DNA sequence: AATGAATGAGAGTTCATTCAT
DNA sequence: TATGAATGAACTCTCATTCAT
């Protein structure tokens, strides 16, 4: 009754609907987004929507799944060339922020998903977290980080990334915010993401210390202790 | 055209509406919540609502403001007796999680606010963050933590608290989640909040290290203590 | 959330909706009838409908119930003055046909109810049938009719009345129908109903005989046997 | 613009559509039935439907026509071997009930047809009635029944059959119904139809008497036989 | 201060039908 | 002959809001 297109034309239409949905959801959020808006954006009739999706919720969940796949891809892709744990972490966060900057939908959609589709929300977070867990477990076993519990610390990293991403990528550096003034005034951010360098560095330094990781270039046996010496 | 009640009866009605709204918003989210439901829960007629609030948005924003005031109160109250920075931090997080456990509305409402009232959302986060900034600035000047940028690190702490709160307070410890298995199986959480002790301790250790703070029981002259000296 | 009006105005509106619904259902049948049509006919807004009825089905069922009550009232009322069983039967059918002529909705609605609300349909028939059963049981015990099973014969009477009503009241006497030509050409029907006299008399004679009832003015002891002698 | 298939394959497809339609209409009624459902049940694409039928109404009317032909066939077939009028009547009703039991569609569809296609409905009834009229006219001329008006009595028989069929074939014997209790408890019905024997016998006795026909086993010179002589 | 009837725009969804392939 | 994508009007139903009482 719905779902899989059987011709090339159908495939194209379905894809256009998904694109339109991402755009509309990002702009107005789940509940303000309407099928009319989505189909208008996709340039098809309302009825066409129901040829491929059985409800607004269904396309939403597919979209969350899709974005999740893409953000994870962006993160692993970014981290691909890294040789040390911490480099990989840096690259991963960079990838995350850049993806967020390019697809603000991710953030907006995911946060609202709490009410719309709790299961989709959990799956999204859990999948990303699982990636962190893998990396952290390996790093711990290699002595690259301290004796942390990866299943917990992964959520911490997730929280940091999400909040920093919201604050600096989504809101931008022009937000009135006493106290971080220095950073605000410097909109020069590396890459395409809008996280100012100082913010990114502070964040990475915090994480590194938090993980009990040796500073870059420091012999591994001094790990946590000598973290202060760098810079 | 609305707003301030002029009699004691009116004051009571208004309060009942706010209470009902918190409950209804927490249960269904902003857009699913309807005035009918709120007025029903408050035991008044639909028209009565508009005697005290000019729109659904208005009561929502007032509610966010109210919750924000209360969560900050809970945090400072909890931290009141603390003598060291880290103790205060611990107590603050404890207070935060406990409040969240008792008022899941906070989380749910705030996360959806992104689309409903971005300004309310920002105000909420900013106010909490400002509290962190104050504490962190003082701590840095006292040498209790490393030479961090409080305007950035505050957001990091916010992110950690929010994600851990979502994961363990809102979702509970019974969520399937490979990797943090040990923690999951131990639902003994201190206080009324549902964050398992191990999770809480891991989080605090991460934060402490991240801040460049001396580990508890560690002689202050060592490693982390001097973190502030750099730069 | 729906149903009972609390003011005189509300009561009036609800009644207008029911009236409009009867009219619209009679005209177009259940599925072609739309809430728009009903509310337009009632002169209220669409939303108003849902103040008093939670769905099209609900108003339909209430209407069937209502019509059922009224048709039974019309039948018993008509039969009130009758002294013998057969007189009462005659009067009852007369009442039935007259009501049908004035409220064609009854027929149309009830017949379509098979798909819409089987329970309402059954209740409708069962209630009328129960009336027949009572009358027939008494008549049998009095020796006014033969040794029939009232629980079966009642349905037979129901069927006769319904079909004759459909054929002559609803379709009218102007229907092309070879074979009953004589009756057709005589549109003079007693009372306000449109069942031609000959049809009514044939029907009553059939029923009388079928019941094993003595012809009017015949001593009861000859009951079935001498039925032929009358006229 | 549509209609007649030109190949064997087309003929098969058309037949499959009709079959599917009967099934779907019987299940959901006319308005709830959708072309999608019919085509799905038939295993063809939606567009294919319009190759053979120009509209939903058209297939409906063809179906009513078809069923009408078949039910009449079933009735005449069943009555074929009968030697007396009353035997033939019995057999005819048996055939009718059996057909109804096997094709509940007949009932359901026909009753809803009132709104969908009044002309089809009338044609359906009229044709069956015409069969009765023929039989009754002959019987009357032969003195097998009283001096009835076949054009009227035929409709009476139709009504009896329809109501008994609805009550016992469609609803079944397990319907709560005070008064006919004895019959309910005996689900042993002859043939494949579900009309209990007692119900069938009561019905036939009623009809026989109503027609002024001699009871079976009654010497023809008595009572009912001479009913025709009156007037 | 409080009520609850009334509104009407707009939501999601269905479906008979058309048409290019 | 057969497909299935596409249409768009129509449907039922919801809800924030207004207003007479």
């Amino acid at each position: 009754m719905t779902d899989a297109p059987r011709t090339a034309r159908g495939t194209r239409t379905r894809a256009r609907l998904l694109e339109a949905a991402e755009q509309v959801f990002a702009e107005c959020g789940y509940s303000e987004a309407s099928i009319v808006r989505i189909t208008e954006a996709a340039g098809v009739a309302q009825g066409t929507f129901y040829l491929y999706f059985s409800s607004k919720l269904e396309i939403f969940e597919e979209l969350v799944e899709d974005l999740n796949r893409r953000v994870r891809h962006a993160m692993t892709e970014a981290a691909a060339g890294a040789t040390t744990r911490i480099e990989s972490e840096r690259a991963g966060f960079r990838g995350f922020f850049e993806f967020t900057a390019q697809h603000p939908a991710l953030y907006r959609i995911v946060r609202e998903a709490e009410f719309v589709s709790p299961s989709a929300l959990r799956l999204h977070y859990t999948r990303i977290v699982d990636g962190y867990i893998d990396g952290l477990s390996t790093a711990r076993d290699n002595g690259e980080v301290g004796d942390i519990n990866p299943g917990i610390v992964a959520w911490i990293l997730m929280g940091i990334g999400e909040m920093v991403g919201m604050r600096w990528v989504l809101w931008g550096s022009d937000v009135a915010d006493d106290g971080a003034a220095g950073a605000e005034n410097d909109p020069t951010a590396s890459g395409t993401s809008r996280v100012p360098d100082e913010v990114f560095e502070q964040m990475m330094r915090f994480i590194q210390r938090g993980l009990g990781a040796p500073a870059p270039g420091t012999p591994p046996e001094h790990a946590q202790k000598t973290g202060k010496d760098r810079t």
Side-chain angles (χ1 to χ4, degrees), chain A:
Chain A
M1 210 172 274
T2 51
D3 256 18
R6 266 173 254 265
T7 68
R9 187 187 178 195
T11 310
R12 247 178 294 127
T13 303
R14 193 179 197 280
R16 255 189 298 150
L17 279 166
L18 267 174
E19 256 175 78
E22 178 178 345
Q23 180 193 313
V24 173
F25 280 135
E27 210 176 293
C28 348
Y30 181 78
S31 30
E32 286 305 297
S34 69
I35 268 75
V36 193
R37 281 233 257 270
I38 295 175
T39 51
E40 263 171 11
V44 301
Q46 282 190 58
T48 305
F49 177 91
Y50 292 91
L51 249 33
Y52 302 107
F53 304 96
S54 62
S55 68
K56 197 167 99 165
L57 182 58
E58 195 184 282
I59 200 176
F60 178 80
E61 289 183 332
E62 177 156 341
L63 207 57
V64 171
E65 183 116 5
D66 195 37
L67 285 170
N68 179 266
R69 217 178 298 119
R70 283 150 69 193
V71 75
R72 283 184 295 128
H73 182 75
M75 292 171 74
T76 52
E77 199 70 356
T83 54
T84 70
R85 176 74 219 140
I86 205 64
E87 259 178 52
S88 148
E89 210 74 73
R90 286 182 74 91
F93 274 106
R94 275 270 175 245
F96 178 69
F97 292 142
E98 261 156 49
F99 185 85
T100 300
Q102 280 157 45
H103 302 272
L106 180 68
Y107 249 96
R108 306 205 125 95
I109 284 180
V110 155
R111 293 181 68 93
E112 206 182 1
E114 178 86 49
F115 285 103
V116 177
S117 176
S119 64
L121 176 81
R122 293 187 184 191
L123 205 57
H124 166 75
Y125 280 128
T126 306
R127 279 176 175 164
I128 298 185
V129 158
D130 282 349
Y132 282 130
I133 292 178
D134 282 352
L136 291 171
S137 302
T138 312
R140 185 191 51 185
D141 299 346
N142 292 349
E144 288 185 282
V145 302
D147 182 25
I148 55 157
N149 180 334
I152 295 168
V153 169
W155 287 96
I156 290 173
L157 297 187
M158 182 83 239
I160 295 174
E162 176 154 308
M163 188 60 74
V164 168
M166 184 177 83
R167 171 60 188 80
W168 279 281
V169 181
L170 248 52
W171 298 3
S173 297
D174 54 335
V175 169
D177 189 282
D178 319 319
E184 307 310 322
N185 300 337
D186 180 349
T188 57
S190 304
T192 57
S193 99
R194 298 147 74 211
V195 180
D197 283 347
E198 193 198 339
V199 174
F200 193 81
E201 292 310 327
Q202 277 273 332
M203 183 188 81
M204 289 312 304
R205 220 174 301 144
F206 189 97
I207 290 172
Q208 236 172 282
R209 291 209 211 92
L211 291 172
T218 304
E221 65 275 17
H222 299 107
Q224 288 128 290
K225 293 263 163 111
T226 55
K228 49 155 180 170
D229 297 329
R230 85 193 125 87
T231 306

